[in-house]
Amino acid sequence: MSLASAGTDRLRGMRIDLKTAGPLVALILLCVLGYSLNPLFLAEGNVSNLLTRSAFIGIIAVGATFVITAGGIDLSVGSMAAFIAGMMIIVMNWAVESMGVSVGTVLLGIGCSLILGIGAGFINGFLTTKGKIEAFIVTLGTMGIYRSLITYFANGGTLSLDSDARQIYRPIYYDSLLGIPIPVWVFIVVALIGWVLMNRTAFGRYCMAIGSSEHVARYSAIKVDRVRTITYILQGLCVSLATIIYVPRLGSASSATGVLWELEAIAAVIIGGTVLKGGYGRIGGTVIGALILTAIGNILNLTEIISNYLNGAVQGVIIIAAVYLQRGSFRAGRKKTPAQ
Amino acid sequence: MSEATPDGAILSASRVSKSFGEIPVLFSIDFDVRPGEVHAIIGENGAGKSTLIKILSGFEQPTSGSIIYDGDRAVLPPNGEAEARGIVLIHQELNLAEHLSVTDSIFLGRELHRYGLLDLKTMRERARAILDRLDVRVDPDARISSLSVADKQMVEIAKAINRDARVLIMDEPTAVLSVAETKTLFEQIRRLTEQGVAIVFISHKLDEIMALANRVTVLRDGQLIATMNTSALTPDSIAQMMVGRELSNLYPPKKEPDVDAPVVLSVRGLSAPGISNVSFDLRGGEILGFAGLIGSGRTAVAEAVVGLVVPEEGEISLNGQPVAFSDVRESLAAGLAYMTKDRKGRGLLLNMGLEPNLTLATLPKHRRGGFLTASSEHQALERAVRRFDIRARDPSVGVGQLSGGNQQKLLLAKCMESDPDIVIMDEPTRGIDVGTKQQIYHIIAALAAEGKSVIVISSEMQEVIGLSHRVLVMREGRMAGLLEGAEINEAEIMRYAAGVKQGEVS
């Protein structure tokens, strides 16, 4: 420490700044591009719509940031969301039939969602830690299970929420508080809590430690299995919250609900600068990643240059480019390392 | 005295300097190695040894100066051309793919083909021939992951021979070898030199250098101090040249613990995977040495005591109270800390800075109302840097970039953060320079003087002898003997460790 050399410090500092600011710069460029293609992009209605849409993926991605930082992966989130949505609708419809419609119906649905989300997360966590099965395999399995369960309960079709219950539930998606849509509020709160958890608590530090080296974590008196399981439970909780604000949007769930959400969530995490192998997580980056992904789709919708059908392709290019840039800066860092 | 004339040298460096950015690490070094000789390079961590051999093997380019190979000025690009021309570097962390077989590894990158397909049969036969020539009993079909470190090293050497190495550069090959394994390695090296191979050899162990090397080059702070014939040197004179000062008191004086100091840790009949029926007592203020060959179960004892491994049988008591830890957190809370020997794989998070590493095991201490307080962690680092003399240019840079000595001091600091009463240190000075070793020895002695109890597990016999009040020798997972006072000497320890003598304790 006493040997600090100002020159190298400054160089290093700039490199890190560029790296952390990268996703933000990309988002700003994207906004400038969107505005220049169609000024409607920054109109109040569109911005609020964009933020609301990004809330689903964003909330799930905040959970995924913890799972990935701790060296895991959860592929089941999309199917889990569809399954939870279906179960919520079934429970609420049942409640309407037997007890009539009230605010309690919706609260019951929300409670059901929270229990299922936490439970599903616990199952993923338990199987990966105590069952010692690769997270990729466990969540690939649960992904298939939830997807086929929703198809089964919907009898291959669509589950629709009772229209009276939907009237009561509607405001959770469509209303605003202080001019900001409620889903965006939920997103903001989830992201803030996530940021504090990741950066200001021992739990966040443990996630990064486990992701960088499980051995070191274990030898450092960290309860690796417990921390890992909690990351999956957090992920389940985030899926549950996203589903709670998603259900009133359409009031229905089918086997097509939440398809590919897992990949969008993982993409948002990675674009944001979290390392896929684990060990380094950035909640702020994840939020920006979710915004970038939604903004791409939105811009394509507003312009005629590229077909909206190519949304996935553009997202794919952005994801690969983001990871390439991360890799590039890592390699540069290694080259500068003086031996001995 | 100095041998500046590169007469008959196969590989030499002439006035080689190297800087990384603005930081110079080598200043105008002359170095040469002749066919059939062993030339040792020695110096403290950070003296520039690794950089010099990387330049000799083409992994780094010199900032100025030149490399002469086989009588010609040579530019060795880092793309493996040096290896193709017969200069092979064996890294400290062996570079073998764990899932390949021995034959695959020996021929990796130079596979033999027949009709466009791999010629497995010939490759296996040749691998067998090379291994036989080295007198190594390793199955050519064995997976690398199933071999001991010593055998892996032999495979690296076999690989080098298969590449017709004319210059073999070895970076601390003995750091992870036991005494017996080191002996075998030296036989191989002598065999190679008889065949005219030139060997460049880095080691921290002075006795090894005296036994093996024809010439020694001493580096200090990137400067060439001297190149001399080994016969003109003594271990003391080498050590003095390395550090530039007298090293009279490498080991601090032993302060005998009170005879009536209470037993703080008592282990009876402990059995766990790899060990059986181990019993010992540790008193307050005592340093108990654990000696034995690599793989004799010393680490397994430590891991079973602190709860990293669940014991199968036996009783452990702490200050008279029976305990059974199933988790490191519990043993840490009870005042028992274990410092792993694998600082890179199990001790430190190499991609993180000093602070998160230091506080990782004791984060709850730095919490206020559930949140971490940065200032508290910062103070902990400042204290540790002062107490353990950790030197880092930038504390936020990944600790993987620190020198081995500083990593070890950081690991020690991390281990002491929990303020333990009993510390088990596994190989506390592996692969670090003499100066840092001396610092660590003094820290250990100071801990004991404060009344803390220390178990030192070490494969360096001098270290166990120089530090310990009593020495427990292990062999094949069992206790072979317990030595006290004048019995603690190299010959006696070796007798127990090698099984020549069986102790009354078993």
Side-chain angles (χ1 to χ4, degrees), chain A residues 1-4 8-9 12 196 199-202 205-206 208-209 212-213 215-223 279 333 337-340, chain B residues 20 46-47 50-51 54 303 308 327-329 345-349 351-352 356 359 361 363-364 371-372 377 392-396 401 414:
Chain A
M1 287 205 329
S2 48
L3 305 170
T8 52
D9 270 8
R12 225 183 50 76
V196 170
N199 297 295
R200 290 288 180 271
T201 68
R205 189 73 64 76
Y206 291 164
M208 296 197 213
S212 345
S213 167
H215 277 307
V216 174
R218 211 163 72 84
Y219 277 69
S220 303
I222 295 171
K223 299 197 165 179
T337 312
Q340 288 235 344
Chain B
F20 289 103
S50 291
T51 310
K54 278 183 189 151
E303 297 198 338
L308 276 161
D327 198 296
V328 192
R329 173 144 290 185
R346 290 176 162 72
L348 299 173
L349 298 169
N351 58 341
M352 290 200 192
T359 57
L363 269 186
F371 300 108
L372 296 174
E377 285 189 78
R393 278 195 199 96
D394 173 356
S396 68
Q401 298 186 22
K414 172 186 173 183

Side-chain angles (χ1 to χ4, degrees), chain B residues 134-151:
Chain B
L134 285 171
D135 199 20
V136 181
R137 274 159 297 170
V138 173
D139 179 2
D141 292 324
R143 300 272 148 214
I144 295 296
S145 53
S146 70
L147 302 183
S148 69
V149 185
D151 283 340

